[in-house]
Amino acid sequence: NKLHLKRHDVAPWEDGCRINGEPGTYEWWYFDSHLNDGANLVIAIHSKDDMNPGVAHFAPYTTFEFNTPDGRSFSEQVNSSPEEFTCSKDKCDIHAGKNYFIGDLHEYKIHFENARVKCDVTLTGTLPSWRPETGHWVFGEDGEYWAWLPAIPRGDVVADIIIDGEAFHYTGHGYHGHNWSNVSMPSVFHNWYWGRAKIGDYSLISSYITCEKKYGHVPTPVYMLVDPDGNLY
């Protein structure tokens, strides 16, 4: 097919760089986690501002969100120059200055660093990579699309974080997803909901996306359900 995909086989290149920085395009590699004492951690590398992607080059930035059970929240962002951004098209090997996502659809090393924070994460998949059919939502006749790959639907997490000299060590479970597009999300999606959960021995990823008025407000529900025996629904 035109996308060079195999229906039930996700290849490492699918989690590599899928765009070249042209005006209107953007891409991000996203990680979130629930940690052993109730803390949560989110890190993402963006190739440019996905809500304003008109610049004709990469404009990368990396975000860090960390919330502790005692109510403390830490939110950091590092902006990098286009020259500091490198991304392999063969696999997930993404660098924005000192920050990176490196992985092979099974094990990932994720790093965030600035003057205040240093964080290292290992994410090891416990479920195989998955995509909803082709993973592409296509709009109109002009080739506009939005794409989604849950590269690690669920995985084990080990995280070491230092913030202002205070050290945290965690285990837990997490997710890594990859999105890319050549059209601003608000111009094609009216609203969207997304979530993931572990319910007993079942794992679930779900989304409910409603398209914009010009596309008839068509809803597109998507879900992945894995039972205790590893069967995918």
Side-chain angles (χ1 to χ4, degrees), residues 31 106-108 110 121-125 152 155-157 174-176:
F31 158 80
H106 176 62
E107 183 172 277
Y108 284 77
I110 301 165
V121 174
T122 299
L123 173 65
T124 304
I152 299 288
D156 292 331
V157 171
Y175 162 91
H176 161 48

Side-chain angles (χ1 to χ4, degrees), residues 65-225:
E65 304 283 343
F66 176 51
N67 300 290
T68 66
D70 60 8
R72 291 181 292 166
S73 295
F74 304 90
S75 180
E76 301 287 327
Q77 178 171 318
V78 174
N79 298 318
S80 304
S81 68
E83 294 74 23
E84 294 177 298
F85 184 65
T86 62
C87 53
S88 169
K89 291 185 176 295
D90 298 324
K91 60 182 179 180
C92 183
D93 189 355
I94 315 302
H95 296 254
K98 295 180 179 179
N99 306 297
Y100 57 76
F101 271 66
I102 302 173
D104 59 3
L105 301 182
H106 176 62
E107 183 172 277
Y108 284 77
K109 301 293 185 182
I110 301 165
H111 180 80
F112 178 89
E113 183 175 345
N114 67 3
R116 185 184 185 193
V117 175
K118 186 174 182 179
C119 176
D120 285 286
V121 174
T122 299
L123 173 65
T124 304
T126 55
L127 293 176
S129 302
W130 171 76
R131 87 174 91 75
E133 298 298 338
T134 67
H136 285 66
W137 282 248
V138 179
F139 302 89
E141 298 179 355
D142 297 326
E144 294 182 335
Y145 70 88
W146 181 84
W148 173 36
L149 173 70
I152 299 288
R154 183 179 177 86
D156 292 331
V157 171
V158 178
D160 286 286
I161 306 166
I162 300 174
I163 302 178
D164 297 331
E166 182 179 2
F168 303 84
H169 174 76
Y170 287 105
T171 59
H173 60 86
Y175 162 91
H176 161 48
H178 176 192
N179 293 90
W180 62 99
S181 182
N182 65 355
V183 61
S184 176
M185 289 179 70
S187 71
V188 291
F189 293 148
H190 182 270
N191 60 75
W192 58 90
Y193 298 89
W194 174 88
R196 65 179 187 86
K198 186 175 188 296
I199 307 165
D201 292 328
Y202 290 81
S203 294
L204 173 70
I205 294 177
S206 64
S207 71
Y208 193 92
I209 300 172
T210 302
C211 296
E212 258 297 345
K213 181 178 180 180
K214 64 182 176 180
Y215 300 111
H217 286 153
V218 173
T220 57
V222 177
Y223 77 93
M224 181 207 77
L225 178 65

